[in-house]
Amino acid sequence: MKTPSPLPVTLCSVTDLSDMLTPKGPRRQPMKGFDDEFIDIVDYIVRITYRIWDEKQVDLCKRYYADSGNIQTLAGNVMGVDTVIKNTWATLEGFPDRTLDADNVVWSGDDNEGFYSSHLITSHMTNLGPSEYGEPTGRTARIQTIADCVCLENKIVEEWLMRDNLGLAQQIGQDGHEIAKRQALSDHESQNDLRDIHLNHFNRTMNTDVSGYAKKPSNPEDDATAFAQAVFGTLWNNRSLKQADQYYDYRADVNGPSGRRYYGAKQVISYIESLLEVMPDLKVTVDHVADVPYLEGARDIAVRWSLAGTHTGDGMYGTPTGEPIYILGGSHFRVINGRIRSEWTVWDELAVLRQVERNRLITGK
């Protein structure tokens, strides 16, 4: 008798939410130490997120987050499960109807070394209470988040959170630049360690050897890491922008932070040029890559990356300060026929403005 093939791990991008919240059938992959109810890592990520945020069972963080876990964000690190719970309730105070809709979960790893998941989320919310941005405005917003997690034995042990906070502030009617100035002044007066954290990441990024990046694999769908490195190596690090049409389909739909949207290779070039104008020496490192199937022959590729550069040029961040800028970013590429057809890229641009304003306080520029 032929042994039946194992069921494939849940494909979030093509599975209805109701099916993901009520999965049926046996476990689809080894999950040592995880609760018996979870059938695979995608199921785990989708359902615990839904329970914590949509159902407001925030105390479940104690079950699903390691006691000493670390969430890295561009606005500072969140240490320990108690702080995670406190911050979650604070967010819900400002946006009590906030939902986290699972657009995709791209994953890698196993239950021995730990699963790595990259969760692309769309959040809908109404500003009905006080928040870090100010008094409630009653306005609604829709933003995207990418949450990358390392999961081991039923716990998230490390996370990198990238959320479009400037887009959120703008949509609820707040002035992102004024918020960044207030936050920067608080950083400056308290002398917290956020600047040191950014400088450490800036130096790590600038000192990483990326010479092997700029070579596109012959079959990008079969070598996700090489493809991701080639995208950033060729277009960003080597500034070979004329090659953009080798990586982006002419119909490419690119969703960026703060509501930016680009269509096709030509507009992608303008997007990259806007950052090169601000930081002519910028450099990008690819810090993690995972990929899963999409439709037949296509792949969804998730990339966590770091960008570092010196603010020596005019542009969208104002008068140059001559100081370092560090960006923690995440991208989801949908690759069809060897090129990016859709892209979702998220970073916290409010935290970037905060860096710029803090640098102004230091330099007086």
Side-chain angles (χ1 to χ4, degrees):
M1 186 182 203
K2 209 172 185 182
T3 303
S5 299
L7 291 169
V9 173
T10 305
L11 276 182
C12 178
S13 61
V14 296
T15 306
D16 189 82
L17 178 61
S18 62
D19 293 328
M20 288 192 287
L21 294 179
T22 55
K24 297 178 177 60
R27 183 162 275 184
R28 300 183 175 199
Q29 64 185 157
M31 297 184 72
K32 179 181 61 180
F34 285 81
D35 290 346
D36 291 341
E37 65 174 307
F38 297 118
I39 63 171
D40 56 38
I41 188 59
V42 176
D43 172 40
Y44 171 81
I45 289 295
V46 170
R47 282 206 279 161
I48 71 168
T49 302
Y50 187 86
R51 289 168 180 172
I52 292 167
W53 286 98
D54 294 64
E55 295 182 342
K56 313 297 186 283
Q57 298 185 65
V58 178
D59 284 346
L60 283 177
C61 289
K62 289 184 179 293
R63 183 171 187 82
Y64 299 129
Y65 277 83
D67 291 343
S68 58
N70 178 25
I71 300 178
Q72 296 185 42
T73 83
L74 200 54
N77 293 346
V78 179
M79 303 295 295
V81 66
D82 291 334
T83 309
V84 172
I85 291 172
K86 177 183 175 182
N87 289 359
T88 303
W89 280 124
T91 300
L92 288 171
E93 182 182 4
F95 305 91
D97 63 346
R98 184 177 185 227
T99 61
L100 274 68
D101 297 334
D103 295 325
N104 209 355
V105 177
V106 180
W107 65 277
S108 63
D110 57 35
D111 61 344
N112 288 317
E113 299 298 323
F115 290 106
Y116 188 104
S117 65
S118 185
H119 191 184
L120 176 65
I121 300 163
T122 295
S123 288
H124 303 259
M125 67 197 88
T126 312
N127 184 205
L128 298 174
S131 71
E132 60 183 303
Y133 309 114
E135 293 302 308
T137 64
R139 297 191 183 185
T140 60
R142 185 184 75 181
I143 64 164
Q144 289 193 303
T145 299
I146 294 177
D148 283 18
C149 297
V150 176
C151 311
L152 187 65
E153 297 192 357
N154 214 56
K155 301 280 189 181
I156 295 172
V157 298
E158 191 165 11
E159 181 173 350
W160 295 263
L161 184 65
M162 296 141 283
R163 187 171 68 188
D164 186 8
N165 287 323
L166 181 58
L168 174 56
Q170 292 171 336
Q171 289 178 58
I172 63 173
Q174 301 284 11
D175 187 328
H177 288 269
E178 290 303 316
I179 295 170
K181 287 178 181 178
R182 292 199 303 267
Q183 292 174 337
L185 182 59
S186 176
D187 293 338
H188 190 62
E189 290 177 342
S190 66
Q191 296 183 336
N192 64 26
D193 62 353
L194 191 55
R195 178 174 167 81
D196 291 336
I197 292 171
H198 291 155
L199 284 173
N200 287 338
H201 284 297
F202 174 91
N203 291 328
R204 170 186 60 81
T205 304
M206 283 299 195
N207 292 329
T208 298
D209 181 8
V210 296
S211 59
Y213 277 16
K215 185 178 180 182
K216 184 183 178 184
S218 55
N219 294 302
E221 292 89 345
D222 294 335
D223 195 339
T225 298
F227 179 73
Q229 290 177 343
V231 170
F232 288 105
T234 302
L235 304 181
W236 293 81
N237 294 339
N238 290 355
R239 284 66 157 155
S240 300
L241 299 180
K242 291 182 179 179
Q243 297 184 41
D245 59 0
Q246 295 181 25
Y247 296 92
Y248 286 88
D249 190 274
Y250 73 93
R251 298 156 291 187
D253 184 12
V254 178
N255 299 269
S258 310
R260 296 188 184 93
R261 198 161 181 179
Y262 307 93
Y263 182 78
K266 288 183 180 179
Q267 290 193 359
V268 169
I269 290 173
S270 69
Y271 154 57
I272 297 172
E273 287 177 336
S274 67
L275 282 169
L276 285 170
E277 182 181 8
V278 175
M279 296 170 279
D281 66 341
L282 74 75
K283 180 178 179 181
V284 180
T285 61
V286 172
D287 301 328
H288 191 273
V289 179
D291 67 298
V292 297
Y294 175 51
L295 299 176
E296 186 175 355
R299 303 293 290 183
D300 283 341
I301 299 173
V303 189
R304 177 169 54 83
W305 47 267
S306 295
L307 184 152
T310 311
H311 186 192
T312 56
D314 292 314
M316 58 187 179
Y317 298 143
T319 304
T321 63
E323 292 293 306
I325 291 177
Y326 165 71
I327 297 176
L328 167 66
S331 297
H332 278 220
F333 301 144
R334 179 155 291 156
V335 178
I336 301 174
N337 295 326
R339 293 186 294 177
I340 297 168
R341 180 72 62 86
S342 300
E343 175 180 335
W344 298 265
T345 285
V346 182
W347 75 75
D348 184 351
E349 197 163 25
L350 183 61
V352 175
L353 292 175
R354 180 176 175 177
Q355 287 181 63
V356 172
E357 294 301 330
R358 184 191 60 207
N359 290 338
R360 291 198 198 290
L361 291 172
I362 293 170
T363 63
K365 294 182 180 178

